[in-house]
Amino acid sequence: MRIVVGEGSCGIAAGAGAVYAGLEKYREKVGFSLGITGCVGMCFVEPIVDIYDGALLLKRLVRVSPEDAADIAEYAATGDNAKISRLEITAEDSDFLEKQTRIALRRCGIIDPESIDDYISSGGYGALKKVLTEMTPEEVIAEIKTSGLAGRGGAGFPTWFKWDAARKSEDSEKYLICNADEGDPGAFMDRAVIESDPHSLIEGMLIAAYSIGAENAFVYVRAEYPLAIERLKKAIAAAEKKGLLGKNILGTSFSCGIRIKAGAGAFVCGEETALIESLEGKRGMPRLKPPFPAQSGYMCKPSNINNVETFANVAYIIENGGESFASLGTEGSKGTKVFALTGKIKRGGLVEVPMGLTLRDVIFDIGGGMRDGGEFKAVQMGGPSGGCIPEERLDTPIDYKALAATGAIMGSGGMVVTDKSTCMVNMARFFLDFTKKESCGKCVHCRIGTARMYEILTRITEGKGEDGDIEKLTQLCEGIKAGALCGLGQTAPNPVLSTLRYFRDEYEAHIKEKRCPAGECAALRGFVIDEEKCCGCTLCAKKCPVGAITGEVKKPHRIDTEKCVKCGSCVEACRFGAVHAE
């Protein structure tokens, strides 16, 4: 019997390390094997322990604690599941995975990410061998073209076109770069792939390097991903030891090495030319285009850049044919897409679905709908460069053009779900604060325009909004989109434009009525106690930091609005829904 503990970052944060240590105490005594795997995507039920008989998954145990180790060991020894039945995943939660189509994530949460033998035994590096022994670079690019694979980093640019442009560049020295910077708040797809299946990235990169004629490759990954970096280093070393990386790979004339560059976490370095500048040791600031990286990239040499998820699809396409990948999705958006589903959602985690499914399918069918009985309000897609999509657009298919028509973008795959308690003006302000701080400052429109927008949004959320603020925001949005140098600046206005488009009434309520409909903006909210619901339990009074709540035990309480500092602790303390913002 084999017991496997999920040790992606989410699992470790939830206590998977302690669970592993607890099981280790019983391993030799009972006689089971113990190993690790990466993130299977079910972040909402971590820590996860899987029990196998050979390749057969016998049990998936969820929300496991170190105290459960003895019961799991007893099951391994006797086969009696009486004591672990409480830990088994429910059929409802299992639907989270069963309703997905996994290509980029196909091995995540299944293989040991630190074992190259596990990867090879699951078919890994077979695509690389096929490419090096049976296909020309042009044939590989043609297969990628047939697949319709578009860059999964956000822009959705045809992958084959970038490879072909780099291939045709007349220079003997070329470079391949993987963008693993992943700076969007709420996005963790690339991190999970590197942590859980690093060899899929390496194999995809080697196939791309062979196709464009590059002998040197880099993975630019943010330093905030220490586990991903550690496992990628181990994977590179293991691949080199087996002759799958370095000189004369698999005994052929093809040679390629991969190095890791840990970036300092600048959001703008997600833009390919800013990334190249950082890779060269300079300050991460975008370059003017043209020339494009395929003509003049790293060290002024032809370079190709794709993100982690893009490379993770490559081996599958080579193994199964471009038509197999293209059979999934829509006419304009082929294959699958990975999303990081977060926010006010029951089942948050990593989701991989075919293009063409609707947002409603992902949020309510796979994600299980709203958490804690909340009412859906909007889903924010594309990170700081994206937009907010309201309930009436939930049947929008996941497609590059369809999402762009809503005012949002596919982006790298962040999907943040909000409920009625979320103020959309404040949400726009949050993202403008992010882009303002992350602007490299090179161009005036982005450097100053985002700061002015943030100031206006801050005034509005503080109850100091003025007539004409909406028009000023719109004018600034248009100016920044037209004048910014790179994608960060050009898309920075999207959160404001989309919230103005769908939630203009909230802006007007803040400005004209000095009221936050969601009750989130502290300066515009007050708290009241519903006397009919209040049972006089005194919990709210005990939690109030300024003694603004008074009342006798078992009798309705009241809030002194003069003393109230609007912290909201009374709402959190009340178990009966008697306290609410207005």
Short mmCIF file of all heavy atoms in Angstrom, two decimals, residues 509-531:
data_model
loop_
_atom_site.label_atom_id
_atom_site.label_comp_id
_atom_site.label_asym_id
_atom_site.label_seq_id
_atom_site.Cartn_x
_atom_site.Cartn_y
_atom_site.Cartn_z
N ALA A 509 -24.04 56.37 -6.10
CA ALA A 509 -24.46 56.33 -4.69
C ALA A 509 -23.36 56.88 -3.78
O ALA A 509 -23.63 57.62 -2.82
CB ALA A 509 -24.83 54.91 -4.29
N HIS A 510 -22.12 56.55 -4.08
CA HIS A 510 -21.00 57.05 -3.29
C HIS A 510 -20.87 58.57 -3.42
O HIS A 510 -20.61 59.25 -2.42
CB HIS A 510 -19.69 56.40 -3.75
CG HIS A 510 -19.45 55.02 -3.24
ND1 HIS A 510 -20.17 53.93 -3.66
CD2 HIS A 510 -18.56 54.53 -2.32
CE1 HIS A 510 -19.73 52.84 -3.05
NE2 HIS A 510 -18.76 53.18 -2.23
N ILE A 511 -21.02 59.05 -4.65
CA ILE A 511 -20.78 60.47 -4.91
C ILE A 511 -21.97 61.34 -4.50
O ILE A 511 -21.81 62.35 -3.79
CB ILE A 511 -20.44 60.69 -6.40
CG1 ILE A 511 -19.13 59.99 -6.76
CG2 ILE A 511 -20.37 62.18 -6.72
CD1 ILE A 511 -18.85 59.92 -8.25
N LYS A 512 -23.15 60.96 -4.92
CA LYS A 512 -24.33 61.81 -4.72
C LYS A 512 -25.02 61.59 -3.38
O LYS A 512 -25.51 62.54 -2.75
CB LYS A 512 -25.33 61.58 -5.85
CG LYS A 512 -24.78 61.98 -7.22
CD LYS A 512 -25.79 61.67 -8.33
CE LYS A 512 -25.22 62.05 -9.69
NZ LYS A 512 -26.16 61.73 -10.81
N GLU A 513 -25.07 60.34 -2.94
CA GLU A 513 -25.79 60.03 -1.70
C GLU A 513 -24.85 59.82 -0.52
O GLU A 513 -25.33 59.64 0.62
CB GLU A 513 -26.64 58.77 -1.90
CG GLU A 513 -27.64 58.87 -3.03
CD GLU A 513 -28.32 57.53 -3.31
OE1 GLU A 513 -28.47 56.73 -2.36
OE2 GLU A 513 -28.69 57.28 -4.47
N LYS A 514 -23.54 59.83 -0.78
CA LYS A 514 -22.54 59.57 0.26
C LYS A 514 -22.86 58.25 0.98
O LYS A 514 -22.84 58.13 2.21
CB LYS A 514 -22.48 60.71 1.28
CG LYS A 514 -22.28 62.08 0.68
CD LYS A 514 -21.03 62.14 -0.20
CE LYS A 514 -20.87 63.52 -0.87
NZ LYS A 514 -19.75 63.53 -1.83
N ARG A 515 -23.12 57.23 0.17
CA ARG A 515 -23.54 55.93 0.68
C ARG A 515 -22.85 54.82 -0.10
O ARG A 515 -22.74 54.89 -1.31
CB ARG A 515 -25.06 55.81 0.54
CG ARG A 515 -25.64 54.47 0.98
CD ARG A 515 -27.17 54.48 0.82
NE ARG A 515 -27.58 54.62 -0.57
CZ ARG A 515 -27.73 53.58 -1.41
NH1 ARG A 515 -27.49 52.35 -0.98
NH2 ARG A 515 -28.10 53.79 -2.66
N CYS A 516 -22.38 53.80 0.63
CA CYS A 516 -21.79 52.62 -0.01
C CYS A 516 -22.84 51.51 0.03
O CYS A 516 -23.12 50.97 1.11
CB CYS A 516 -20.52 52.17 0.72
SG CYS A 516 -19.82 50.63 0.07
N PRO A 517 -23.44 51.16 -1.11
CA PRO A 517 -24.50 50.14 -1.11
C PRO A 517 -24.07 48.81 -0.53
O PRO A 517 -24.89 48.08 0.04
CB PRO A 517 -24.85 50.01 -2.60
CG PRO A 517 -24.47 51.33 -3.19
CD PRO A 517 -23.25 51.75 -2.44
N ALA A 518 -22.79 48.46 -0.66
CA ALA A 518 -22.29 47.18 -0.14
C ALA A 518 -21.95 47.26 1.34
O ALA A 518 -21.73 46.23 1.98
CB ALA A 518 -21.07 46.72 -0.93
N GLY A 519 -21.88 48.48 1.88
CA GLY A 519 -21.53 48.64 3.29
C GLY A 519 -20.08 48.32 3.58
O GLY A 519 -19.72 48.02 4.72
N GLU A 520 -19.22 48.40 2.57
CA GLU A 520 -17.81 48.04 2.76
C GLU A 520 -16.94 49.25 3.05
O GLU A 520 -15.98 49.15 3.82
CB GLU A 520 -17.28 47.32 1.51
CG GLU A 520 -15.86 46.84 1.66
CD GLU A 520 -15.33 46.13 0.42
OE1 GLU A 520 -16.07 46.01 -0.57
OE2 GLU A 520 -14.18 45.68 0.45
N CYS A 521 -17.23 50.38 2.46
CA CYS A 521 -16.40 51.58 2.63
C CYS A 521 -16.65 52.16 4.03
O CYS A 521 -17.74 52.66 4.32
CB CYS A 521 -16.72 52.62 1.56
SG CYS A 521 -16.33 52.03 -0.12
N ALA A 522 -15.63 52.12 4.89
CA ALA A 522 -15.79 52.48 6.30
C ALA A 522 -16.32 53.89 6.49
O ALA A 522 -17.14 54.14 7.37
CB ALA A 522 -14.45 52.31 7.02
N ALA A 523 -15.85 54.82 5.68
CA ALA A 523 -16.26 56.22 5.86
C ALA A 523 -17.72 56.46 5.52
O ALA A 523 -18.31 57.47 5.92
CB ALA A 523 -15.38 57.12 5.00
N LEU A 524 -18.32 55.53 4.77
CA LEU A 524 -19.70 55.72 4.30
C LEU A 524 -20.68 54.73 4.92
O LEU A 524 -21.81 54.63 4.45
CB LEU A 524 -19.74 55.59 2.78
CG LEU A 524 -18.96 56.64 2.00
CD1 LEU A 524 -19.00 56.33 0.52
CD2 LEU A 524 -19.52 58.02 2.25
N ARG A 525 -20.26 54.04 5.93
CA ARG A 525 -21.16 53.06 6.50
C ARG A 525 -21.42 53.35 7.98
O ARG A 525 -20.63 53.98 8.67
CB ARG A 525 -20.61 51.65 6.37
CG ARG A 525 -19.39 51.37 7.23
CD ARG A 525 -18.87 49.96 7.00
NE ARG A 525 -17.66 49.73 7.79
CZ ARG A 525 -16.95 48.62 7.75
NH1 ARG A 525 -17.32 47.64 6.95
NH2 ARG A 525 -15.87 48.47 8.49
N GLY A 526 -22.57 52.90 8.43
CA GLY A 526 -22.90 52.94 9.84
C GLY A 526 -23.48 51.58 10.20
O GLY A 526 -23.95 50.84 9.32
N PHE A 527 -23.44 51.23 11.46
CA PHE A 527 -23.94 49.93 11.88
C PHE A 527 -25.15 50.08 12.78
O PHE A 527 -25.20 50.97 13.64
CB PHE A 527 -22.85 49.14 12.61
CG PHE A 527 -21.71 48.75 11.71
CD1 PHE A 527 -20.55 49.50 11.67
CD2 PHE A 527 -21.80 47.64 10.90
CE1 PHE A 527 -19.51 49.15 10.84
CE2 PHE A 527 -20.77 47.28 10.05
CZ PHE A 527 -19.62 48.04 10.02
N VAL A 528 -26.13 49.23 12.56
CA VAL A 528 -27.34 49.23 13.38
C VAL A 528 -27.64 47.80 13.82
O VAL A 528 -27.21 46.84 13.19
CB VAL A 528 -28.55 49.80 12.61
CG1 VAL A 528 -28.34 51.26 12.27
CG2 VAL A 528 -28.83 48.99 11.35
N ILE A 529 -28.39 47.71 14.93
CA ILE A 529 -28.80 46.41 15.44
C ILE A 529 -30.30 46.26 15.26
O ILE A 529 -31.08 47.12 15.69
CB ILE A 529 -28.42 46.27 16.93
CG1 ILE A 529 -26.89 46.33 17.11
CG2 ILE A 529 -28.96 44.96 17.50
CD1 ILE A 529 -26.43 46.29 18.55
N ASP A 530 -30.69 45.18 14.61
CA ASP A 530 -32.11 44.87 14.43
C ASP A 530 -32.63 44.33 15.76
O ASP A 530 -32.26 43.22 16.19
CB ASP A 530 -32.28 43.83 13.32
CG ASP A 530 -33.73 43.57 12.97
OD1 ASP A 530 -34.59 43.74 13.85
OD2 ASP A 530 -33.99 43.16 11.83
N GLU A 531 -33.48 45.11 16.43
CA GLU A 531 -33.95 44.73 17.76
C GLU A 531 -34.75 43.43 17.75
O GLU A 531 -34.79 42.71 18.74
CB GLU A 531 -34.77 45.86 18.36
CG GLU A 531 -33.94 47.11 18.64
CD GLU A 531 -34.73 48.17 19.38
OE1 GLU A 531 -35.90 47.90 19.74
OE2 GLU A 531 -34.18 49.26 19.62
#
